[in-house]
Amino acid sequence: MPRLGRQGGDTTDGPGSEGVPDVGVADTAMPTARAKRVAVFGLGYVGSVSAACLASRGHSVIGVDVSPEKADMVNHGRSPVVEERIGDLIAEHVAEGRLSATTDSEGAVARTDIALVCVGTPSTPSGSLQTSFVEQVSDEIGAALAGRGGRYTVVIRSTMLPTTCEQIVLPRLEAASRMYAGDGFGLAVNPEFLREGSSVRDFFDPPKTVIGQIDEASGDVVAELYEGLPGPVYRVPLGVAEMIKYADNSFHALKAGFANELGAVCKGLGLDSHVVMDILTSDTKLNISPAYLRPGFAFGGSCLPKDLRAFIHRARRADVPVPILESILPSNEGQVERVFRTIEATGKRRVGLFGLAFKPGTDDLRESPMVALAERLLGRGFELMIHDPQVAVSRLLGANRAYVDQRIPHLSRLMASSADAVVNHAEVCVVGAADPEAIAALGRVDGRIVVDLVRFPGSADYEGDPGYIGVSW
Ligand SMILES: NC(=O)c1ccc[n+]([C@@H]2O[C@H](COP(=O)([O-])OP(=O)(O)OC[C@H]3O[C@@H](n4cnc5c(N)ncnc54)[C@H](O)[C@@H]3O)[C@@H](O)[C@H]2O)c1
């Protein structure tokens, strides 16, 4: 088992509704009293689906696109994109007068209260994100807001890297409108998790709704748009909402690549990869679960590194390249190095380590990343003192004893019998295990730099303290 840190990230409002029923369009139509007037900027895949589905929920929707052809298609009841059910929805709601399209952004803002920005954010040749369409729309909406009056809410649905909303969209809206965000207009980020091919179904049965909000009022406007849809609703800061989309897509890509590497090894060994993956995914305690997904310190122990090495070795013998699997141990070593550099950057020399075993509750030191960190620090001349109530050197036997003798023979000299002795020695305290004795000892002293690898209980009390450094938060 690897050493795990507490889950990072912001708090949520929790589930918005129970379960995930089979929701049809008719079931989710909004009562007219709640209907909003929405402008959807960009009539590509995301914009067309959002516009049609919002109209089918009873909202009054104007689609806006720079392409007169796309606007014309919508106004003639035809879809600009090919997607299951989208043609019927557009035809129905254009006929009913709830959906129309235009190229006139100013007119669209004048006749609505919410803008959903769904324009493209393609890659540049270097791989960076092209934000020019979002910038242009921000300028247009901002200019239209200048003469409009009344509260308006701008909601960014396009995929944008964290800080784009705050650093690019917000200043442009403010400059063009000559108003302040949160005052003259609302601003939110509402990433979209629909999959092309099933996006209408996904709209009405989303895995979750994420609302990044500049203020409560902006978030409320977005929440009301989707009121009654299944799935949890998360209200978070703008940057978190932007980040979730990248976290999700990176994870999806990693899963697909992992599954394919595993499949190739299985095939090379004459095994049915689908049977293997069926069993892997059936484990919702350790596999398809939050386990091992909490940013913290490196993993270690007597199993994960050893088994990964053996598996990669076997794949090589079967002539199966497994670049994702091969990158895991170097990535893990990088986490140890990152923590070492963090400690080094403090400029202090006396370091206290809390926790030495590879995870709390065990005395197993084999391939413990804390041992690797201790070695690195010792090698660079740091004055080290260690406390781990589970690791009493005098009692260590067998494999553990041999590990200590080979890897850090001076361990006994470095081990302190109390956490207080460590905090009294150290200028920098590294918390690698949320041991209550260590946390209590830290609370009794001032002026220590705390490097937290586990997000220990009570670490929130240190928030904003320049002496507190979370390893990944
Ligand atoms: N396609 C997907 O499945 C999907 C899923 C999730 C998120 N996203 C994200 O959503 C965003 C939109 O993706 P898409 O696939 O719908 O893009 P798209 O390229 O299909 O459509 C973008 C539309 O925006 C229009 N546009 C450009 N500038 C405009 C302006 N100034 N005013 C009005 N319209 C303008 C374009 O003419 C085009 O019709 C992207 O950020 C994308 O990464 C896409």
Side-chain angles (χ1 to χ4, degrees):
M1 291 274 288
R3 178 185 296 276
L4 297 173
R6 205 184 80 187
Q7 179 104 39
D10 290 69
T11 53
T12 72
D13 278 0
S17 62
E18 305 271 276
V20 182
D22 183 16
V23 185
V25 173
D27 300 327
T28 56
M30 306 271 299
T32 335
R34 291 185 185 283
K36 308 263 182 221
R37 302 188 305 162
V38 187
V40 174
F41 282 77
L43 290 171
Y45 285 91
V46 172
S48 297
V49 170
S50 299
C53 293
L54 287 171
S56 80
R57 303 204 77 224
H59 300 298
S60 171
V61 181
I62 304 175
V64 187
D65 204 290
V66 285
S67 156
E69 292 79 20
K70 288 192 177 181
D72 263 5
M73 284 182 85
V74 170
N75 286 330
H76 285 92
R78 286 187 288 127
S79 172
V81 298
V82 176
E83 264 295 315
E84 197 182 68
R85 291 177 64 190
I86 191 76
D88 293 344
L89 280 183
I90 289 181
E92 180 186 339
H93 296 293
V94 168
E96 285 182 5
R98 262 201 295 270
L99 174 63
S100 64
T102 179
T103 55
D104 171 16
S105 50
E106 190 179 351
V109 170
R111 287 181 284 134
T112 55
D113 306 300
I114 306 166
L116 233 58
V117 177
C118 305
V119 297
T121 47
S123 284
T124 66
S126 71
S128 74
L129 189 76
Q130 190 186 319
T131 54
S132 54
F133 301 122
V134 176
E135 290 171 26
Q136 193 191 333
V137 171
S138 304
D139 293 344
E140 288 172 23
I141 296 175
L145 288 179
R148 185 184 172 277
R151 172 110 178 169
Y152 198 86
T153 305
V154 181
V155 184
I156 310 294
R157 207 139 159 73
S158 300
T159 301
M160 305 191 309
L161 285 165
T163 73
T164 307
C165 188
E166 204 155 345
Q167 292 179 5
I168 294 179
V169 174
L170 183 149
R172 283 181 174 266
L173 285 169
E174 287 187 339
S177 67
R178 293 190 292 281
M179 291 190 289
Y180 289 111
D183 180 19
F185 61 91
L187 183 59
V189 167
N190 172 222
E192 104 103 64
F193 303 105
L194 317 181
R195 296 161 298 176
E196 279 183 34
S198 61
S199 53
V200 173
R201 249 179 304 138
D202 289 348
F203 183 96
F204 292 109
D205 189 6
K208 60 187 175 281
T209 299
V210 176
I211 302 171
Q213 53 189 44
I214 195 167
D215 57 11
E216 211 52 32
S218 305
D220 288 347
V221 169
V222 185
E224 284 164 17
L225 276 182
Y226 304 116
E227 205 173 270
L229 289 182
V233 177
Y234 299 97
R235 306 267 296 251
V236 293
L238 296 174
V240 172
E242 293 171 313
M243 185 67 176
I244 299 253
K245 182 70 191 172
Y246 287 91
D248 277 19
N249 277 354
S250 309
F251 191 41
H252 298 161
L254 178 66
K255 284 196 292 186
F258 170 78
N260 287 335
E261 286 192 7
L262 222 73
V265 178
C266 284
K267 188 174 167 66
L269 301 179
L271 305 169
D272 186 337
S273 63
H274 281 220
V275 174
V276 172
M277 292 313 269
D278 282 347
I279 297 170
L280 183 144
T281 53
S282 74
D283 177 348
T284 53
K285 283 193 176 151
L286 296 182
N287 292 347
I288 309 302
S289 81
Y292 306 96
L293 281 173
R294 289 170 176 153
F297 195 36
F299 64 80
S302 59
C303 294
L304 260 56
K306 168 179 82 74
D307 296 346
L308 200 48
R309 275 193 297 268
F311 191 52
I312 291 166
H313 186 265
R314 187 67 189 86
R316 282 190 191 131
R317 275 183 50 215
D319 273 339
V320 179
V322 284
I324 292 177
L325 295 177
E326 283 178 351
S327 68
I328 298 173
L329 287 174
S331 162
N332 199 47
E333 283 152 20
Q335 187 71 343
V336 177
E337 185 62 16
R338 195 172 292 135
V339 172
F340 170 75
R341 297 264 171 233
T342 303
I343 297 166
E344 193 179 44
T346 64
K348 310 288 185 194
R349 304 303 299 172
R350 292 200 310 276
V351 176
L353 293 189
F354 290 110
L356 191 64
F358 87 92
K359 67 172 180 173
T362 174
D363 65 352
D364 196 346
L365 295 164
R366 287 171 295 171
E367 302 220 34
S368 164
M370 289 300 281
V371 170
L373 179 64
E375 273 194 319
R376 186 95 173 81
L377 289 163
L378 276 178
R380 296 298 288 267
F382 286 82
E383 296 167 43
L384 210 55
M385 196 177 265
I386 304 167
H387 183 251
D388 187 329
Q390 306 297 331
V391 180
V393 176
S394 56
R395 291 205 313 266
L396 287 180
L397 297 168
N400 268 346
R401 181 85 240 180
Y403 195 84
V404 169
D405 290 343
Q406 283 164 20
R407 295 297 301 267
I408 28 178
H410 307 308
L411 180 72
S412 356
R413 186 173 58 77
L414 302 174
M415 296 297 290
S417 55
S418 76
D420 284 311
V422 173
V423 293
N424 289 333
H425 155 85
E427 298 162 291
V428 180
C429 292
V430 182
V431 183
D435 167 33
E437 193 190 331
I439 294 161
L442 276 174
R444 285 192 284 271
V445 293
D446 281 329
R448 305 295 185 278
I449 294 170
V450 176
V451 178
D452 185 1
L453 310 185
V454 293
R455 206 152 175 170
F456 58 83
S459 59
D461 298 345
Y462 291 81
E463 214 168 284
D465 182 335
Y468 173 84
I469 306 167
V471 64
S472 300
W473 50 89

